[in-house]
């Protein structure tokens, strides 16, 4: 390669006009120059920077496709060949086979380099062969690639390349590769080849048989066997196999997955159980039946206290089903430092009644367990609170007067007291004393625990805090005054002051004004003055604040003409990519207005594109202009959203609102499946609460089935 001509060609391209992950691609020529330079360190840094810019976390850009021919020419000329072939494979993987966007352009650009890739499949160096096999497979060009890879497979002897070949063939032709993969499962094959063959069988849909079960167990621990593979998707083989079997969603495959997990969890091979625990955790997140099926392994998991810490994450996902582990968890929780805290955190999930007195014993040094206890309040079923314990109440009272509390502890202590309510009234003196130190965290707890005979004095304290205390505590204090006494003056004054200050807290102030309703008529000018507008563009906090203000104006004045123009402006400024939940809140605000929000119908209909925005848009249109809805089509969109976990709770709510006549037989079948299938619907949110959230969603789906039958 004529390097001078190559670099001149690079410099002639309009890189500054192209985009990558960090904006202008003007830096790409310098990176290409570094790849062809004499400094190994500079070339390595250039490869790393290219991964960060033109292939950022698997995403490709306009500059990516333009760079591909130059990367290929450098690779073909011997400059960082293996690294660049791997990069080209990643670009192809991030591309697409159709369309006219950046993804399709990138895939096509790498396909155009197949002559180089396929020629390198026969390179002398095994690292080059592996990289070329992977990159060629990622192009998806099966007709051109498969014959070359199969021919190579007939003579290849290196286990690493053979493993890569099996993975590549399975990607391009999963069913056609199944026989070869099954043949490579034998114990006489290298372990790297056997695990690749097993994964190829799974990807090819081969029925799971005893031979696969035995091979998987014999290969554990398996993660190291794929450590050198370029295929990161299979980086944890046991977890991948379990997930694949569960996703097949048949009784036979579920039984195979749980039988495999049970055997792996009981393995005495070093490292095997650790991989089994990771796979079991994934199963709990994926399958509704997993916690019940895996509970039988708990006695074995907790047999040796020294081994229990490895199982904490799984035990927390099993929750009360892991009660057999409670004695050993309690024993470990009586220790010192973070190890004891982690044991107690797990005990909170498994046996909260047993955890409460242990948490009381050393509350100040158990931040994990305290956080879990407070998470219990929000992650459990409706009405569930962490168990009241008098010793824990005494410990909380002592902590409220202690020095050195971090930013989270007062909030967590207050949340427990709030949940316990009047049972925690003994903490009233400590809450009153600590209020100046934690003005935002404690007002709600003060109102919740305060007995009738102390309401007047507590309300006076909170009123002073609302009028002259630290700014961050004025709204919470004023709200607590209202909860205690029903008096709204301090709250109205605090809302007006917050509206005058502006900022992101306007949204909270507007919500509180809305709760006051017509009593807050005097706040209307302040709310109007706090509105944003087109100059704020797509600033999400300002959009959210405007929605809250629109709702407050409607609740206070009852005049749609106050609120509808604000919501219309918000809906016009929504960005499809970043403002999904903002659109949901705008649609909810419109729904509350009802018929008076008819001017918003076209904008709301524009939200019926599937996904997160659709459920609330259906509810809004049903409330505002029900005649505008194609109800069977809307029911289908709602089921799409529920199945994709796109605000599934609202989707089911909207289905019930539409009524049974909107549902076809196929709709009914899909709704029943949501309620009764094994695969979880809820797949997003905080991991520790996903299973409980899915259980609540399943009950909602079952109720919807009963209502719509």
């Amino acid at each position: 390669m004529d390097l001078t001509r190559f670099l001149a060609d690079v410099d002639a391209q309009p890189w500054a006009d192209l985009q990558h992950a960090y904006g202008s691609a003007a830096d790409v020529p310098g990176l290409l120059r570094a790849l062809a330079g004499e400094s190994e360190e500079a070339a390595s840094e250039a490869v790393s920077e290219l991964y960060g810019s033109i292939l950022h976390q698997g995403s490709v850009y306009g500059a990516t496709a333009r760079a591909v021919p130059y990367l290929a020419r450098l690779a073909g000329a011997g400059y960082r060949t293996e690294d660049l072939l791997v990069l080209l494979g990643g670009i192809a993987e991030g591309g697409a086979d159709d369309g006219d966007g950046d993804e399709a352009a990138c895939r096509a650009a790498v396909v155009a380099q197949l002559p180089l890739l396929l020629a390198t499949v026969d390179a002398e160096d095994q690292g080059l062969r592996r990289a070329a096999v992977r990159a060629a497979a990622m192009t998806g060009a099966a007709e051109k690639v498969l014959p070359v890879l199969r021919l190579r497979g007939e003579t290849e002897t290196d286990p690493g390349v053979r493993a890569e070949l099996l993975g590549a063939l399975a990607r391009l032709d999963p069913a056609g590769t199944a026989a070869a993969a099954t043949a490579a499962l034998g114990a006489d094959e290298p372990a790297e080849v056997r695990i690749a063959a097993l994964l190829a069988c799974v990807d090819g849909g081969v029925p799971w048989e005893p031979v696969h079960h035995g091979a998987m167990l014999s290969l554990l621990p398996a993660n190291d066997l794929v450590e050198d593979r370029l295929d990161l998707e299979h980086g944890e083989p046991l977890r991948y196999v379990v997930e694949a079997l569960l996703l097949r969603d048949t009784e036979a495959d579920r039984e195979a997955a749980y039988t495999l997990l049970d055997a792996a969890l009981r393995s005495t091979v070093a490292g095997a159980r650790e991989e089994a625990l990771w796979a079991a955790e994934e199963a709990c997140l994926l399958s509704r039946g997993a916690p019940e099926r895996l509970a039988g392994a708990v006695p074995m998991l907790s047999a040796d206290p020294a081994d229990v810490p490895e199982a904490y994450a799984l035990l927390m996902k099993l929750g009360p089903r892991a009660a057999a582990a409670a004695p050993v968890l309690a024993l470990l929780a009586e220790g010192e430092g973070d190890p004891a805290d982690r044991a107690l955190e797990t005990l909170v999930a498994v046996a909260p009644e047993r955890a409460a007195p242990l948490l009381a014993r050393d509350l100040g040094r158990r931040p994990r367990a305290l956080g879990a206890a407070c998470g219990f309040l929000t992650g459990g079923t409706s009405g569930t609170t962490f168990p009241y314990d008098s010793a824990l109440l005494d410990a909380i009272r002592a902590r409220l007067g202690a020095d050195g509390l971090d930013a989270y502890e007062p909030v967590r202590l207050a949340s427990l007291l709030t949940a316990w309510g009047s049972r925690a009234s003994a903490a009233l003196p400590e809450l009153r004393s600590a209020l100046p130190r934690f003005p935002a965290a404690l007002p709600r707890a003060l109102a919740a625990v305060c007995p009738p005979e102390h309401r007047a004095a507590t309300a006076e304290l909170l009123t002073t805090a609302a009028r002259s205390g630290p700014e961050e505590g004025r709204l919470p204090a004023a709200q607590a005054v209202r909860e205690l006494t029903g008096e709204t003056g301090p709250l109205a004054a605090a809302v007006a002051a917050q509206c005058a200050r502006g900022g992101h807290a306007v949204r909270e102030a507007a919500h509180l004004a809305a709760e006051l309703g017509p009593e807050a008529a005097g706040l209307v000018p302040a709310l109007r003055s706090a509105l944003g507008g087109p100059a704020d563009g797509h600033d999400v906090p300002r959009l959210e604040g405007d929605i809250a203000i629109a709702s407050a104006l409607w609740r206070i004045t009852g005049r749609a003409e106050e609120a509808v123009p604000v919501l219309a402006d918000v809906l016009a400024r929504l960005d499809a990519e970043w403002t999904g939940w903002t659109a949901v809140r705008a649609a909810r605000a419109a729904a509350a207005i009802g018929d008076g929000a008819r001017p918003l119908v076209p904008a709301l209909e524009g939200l019926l594109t599937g996904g997160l925005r659709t459920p609330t848009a259906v509810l809004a249109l049903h409330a505002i202009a029900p005649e505008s809805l194609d109800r069977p089509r809307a029911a289908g969109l709602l089921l799409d959203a529920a199945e994709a976990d796109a605000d599934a709770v609202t989707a089911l709510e909207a289905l019930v609102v539409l009524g049974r006549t909107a549902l076809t037989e196929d709709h009914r079948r899909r709704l029943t499946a949501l309620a009764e299938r094994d695969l979880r619907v809820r797949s997003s949110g905080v991991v520790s609460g996903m299973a409980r959230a899915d259980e609540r969603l399943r009950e909602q789906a079952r109720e919807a089935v009963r209502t719509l039958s």
Side-chain angles (χ1 to χ4, degrees):
M1 181 177 73
D2 184 333
L3 188 56
T4 300
R5 181 175 296 179
F6 171 81
L7 294 175
D9 191 10
V10 168
D11 291 339
Q13 303 304 311
W15 299 106
D17 297 331
L18 299 171
Q19 297 289 305
H20 58 40
Y22 299 107
S24 170
D27 60 336
V28 171
L31 299 175
L32 295 174
R33 284 179 176 275
L35 291 173
E38 296 181 359
S39 169
E40 282 293 313
E41 181 179 356
S44 295
E45 290 178 0
V47 171
S48 178
E49 290 190 35
L50 286 167
Y51 269 103
S53 58
I54 67 171
L55 184 60
H56 183 72
Q57 298 179 356
S59 296
V60 293
Y61 309 87
T64 312
R66 186 66 65 98
V68 164
Y70 300 101
L71 297 171
R73 287 167 66 182
L74 287 168
Y79 295 100
R80 310 288 299 199
T81 302
E82 184 175 344
D83 288 338
L84 295 184
L85 290 180
V86 174
L87 177 58
L88 289 171
I91 291 170
E93 185 177 13
D97 287 323
D98 52 17
D100 56 3
D102 293 337
E103 291 83 2
C106 287
R107 176 69 61 83
V110 181
V111 169
Q113 305 305 321
L114 273 175
L116 166 68
L117 301 179
L118 296 178
T120 313
V121 166
D122 291 321
E124 182 177 347
D125 182 80
Q126 61 90 12
L128 292 181
R129 296 201 302 276
R130 289 174 60 245
V133 166
R134 171 71 175 171
M138 290 301 102
T139 66
E143 186 175 341
K144 295 179 179 179
V145 175
L146 279 172
V148 177
L149 298 190
R150 285 173 176 151
L151 184 63
R152 182 68 217 178
E154 293 175 4
T155 58
E156 182 60 61
T157 59
D158 182 84
V161 181
R162 289 184 62 201
E164 210 68 59
L165 278 165
L166 273 172
L169 291 169
R171 182 182 187 89
L172 294 171
D173 182 18
T177 307
T182 300
L185 287 174
D188 56 333
E189 291 281 6
E192 303 99 303
V193 175
R194 293 181 69 207
I195 194 65
L198 184 65
L199 295 168
C201 287
V202 170
D203 288 341
V206 175
W208 190 260
E209 303 287 353
V211 64
H212 303 105
H213 176 89
M216 185 74 257
L217 291 177
S218 71
L219 289 165
L220 293 177
N223 289 4
D224 288 347
L225 300 178
V226 296
E227 187 177 27
D228 293 331
R229 287 281 303 276
L230 300 174
D231 178 9
L232 300 181
E233 183 182 6
H234 297 94
E236 296 176 30
L238 179 60
R239 183 186 63 80
Y240 184 87
V241 167
V242 168
E243 180 178 345
L245 291 174
L246 291 174
L247 288 174
R248 290 181 182 181
D249 202 20
T250 70
E251 188 56 42
D253 286 307
R254 279 191 289 275
E255 184 61 31
Y258 295 132
T259 301
L260 177 62
L261 274 177
D262 186 73
L265 287 169
R266 297 174 189 276
S267 174
T268 58
V269 177
R273 195 177 79 155
E274 183 180 8
E275 293 183 7
L277 288 167
W278 294 340
E281 290 175 47
E282 183 67 22
C284 289
L285 296 178
L286 191 61
S287 164
R288 288 168 168 172
E292 191 68 38
R293 291 296 307 268
L294 294 172
V298 170
M300 179 276 300
L301 292 175
S302 56
D304 185 345
D307 292 338
V308 172
E310 291 182 2
Y312 283 162
L314 176 60
L315 294 174
M316 290 180 71
K317 289 179 175 63
L318 297 181
R321 292 182 178 88
V328 69
L329 289 172
L331 177 66
L332 292 169
E334 291 177 349
E336 298 293 331
D338 186 64
D341 192 15
R342 293 190 64 209
L344 186 54
E345 175 189 32
T346 307
L347 187 62
V348 166
V350 170
E353 294 84 1
R354 192 160 184 168
L358 290 172
L359 181 58
R361 190 176 302 175
D362 204 2
L363 180 60
R365 287 183 283 189
R366 297 292 181 261
R368 286 178 178 269
L370 177 58
C374 295
F376 192 93
L377 303 176
T378 57
T381 56
S382 178
T384 300
T385 62
F386 188 73
Y388 170 79
D389 182 86
S390 60
L392 182 54
L393 174 60
D394 290 340
I396 291 173
R397 294 173 65 186
R399 289 301 297 165
L400 286 171
D403 295 325
L405 275 65
D406 64 26
Y408 300 104
E409 189 173 355
V411 175
R412 291 169 173 169
L413 299 175
S415 72
L416 286 173
L417 296 175
T418 301
W420 291 340
S422 60
R423 289 178 296 176
S425 61
L428 185 63
E430 289 79 14
L431 285 169
R432 288 169 58 93
S433 296
L435 181 63
R437 296 167 59 206
F438 311 114
L442 302 188
R444 187 175 176 217
L446 269 166
V449 308
C450 186
E453 63 271 22
H454 291 287
R455 283 182 182 170
T458 302
E460 183 178 352
L461 176 70
L462 288 167
T463 298
T464 300
R467 288 175 176 165
S468 58
E471 285 187 3
E472 70 270 21
R474 292 182 185 181
L475 276 174
Q479 191 176 14
V481 170
R482 182 177 178 235
E483 291 175 11
L484 272 176
T485 68
E487 185 181 352
T488 60
L491 182 57
V495 167
Q498 184 58 62
C499 287
R501 284 192 295 270
H504 295 170
V506 164
R507 177 185 172 192
E508 180 188 3
H511 282 313
L512 294 173
E515 291 179 11
L516 294 175
E519 293 181 67
L523 291 174
V524 168
L527 290 166
R528 289 173 181 157
S529 68
L531 283 167
D536 296 309
H538 303 303
D539 183 333
V540 171
R542 293 306 299 267
L543 292 170
E544 297 274 5
D546 285 357
I547 293 167
I549 290 171
S551 295
L553 290 172
W554 163 250
R555 293 276 298 275
I556 294 167
T557 69
R559 297 171 60 231
E561 55 267 33
E562 281 275 8
V564 169
V566 178
L567 294 176
D569 176 65
V570 169
L571 289 166
R573 289 191 283 137
L574 291 178
D575 179 279
E577 185 175 1
W578 301 109
T579 54
W581 284 109
T582 304
V584 167
R585 284 182 269 274
R588 282 199 178 276
I593 297 172
D595 185 70
R598 281 185 175 270
L600 301 177
V601 166
L604 293 168
E605 288 177 335
L607 302 180
L608 297 178
T609 56
L612 181 65
R613 301 173 171 208
T614 295
T616 312
V618 170
L619 281 176
L621 288 167
H622 188 273
I624 297 165
E627 73 284 353
S628 69
L629 274 175
D630 179 340
R631 293 166 68 246
R633 173 178 176 268
L637 290 172
L638 292 170
L639 285 162
D640 290 344
E643 290 163 348
D645 190 25
D647 198 6
V649 169
T650 304
L652 293 176
E653 176 189 346
L655 273 175
V656 172
V657 169
L658 288 180
R660 60 173 59 91
T661 59
L663 273 62
T664 65
E665 285 306 311
D666 183 60
H667 293 153
R668 297 178 194 279
R669 177 193 60 77
R670 292 170 65 188
L671 178 59
T672 301
L674 279 170
E676 304 304 334
R677 74 187 198 183
D678 179 72
L679 292 177
R680 294 197 186 280
V681 177
R682 295 302 302 270
S683 58
S684 60
V686 179
V687 170
S688 61
M690 279 170 52
R692 287 192 291 268
D694 183 73
E695 289 299 319
R696 293 195 294 273
L697 185 69
R698 178 161 61 172
E699 286 306 311
Q700 184 187 3
R702 286 173 171 171
E703 180 59 31
V705 169
R706 290 190 288 268
T707 301
L708 296 171
S709 296

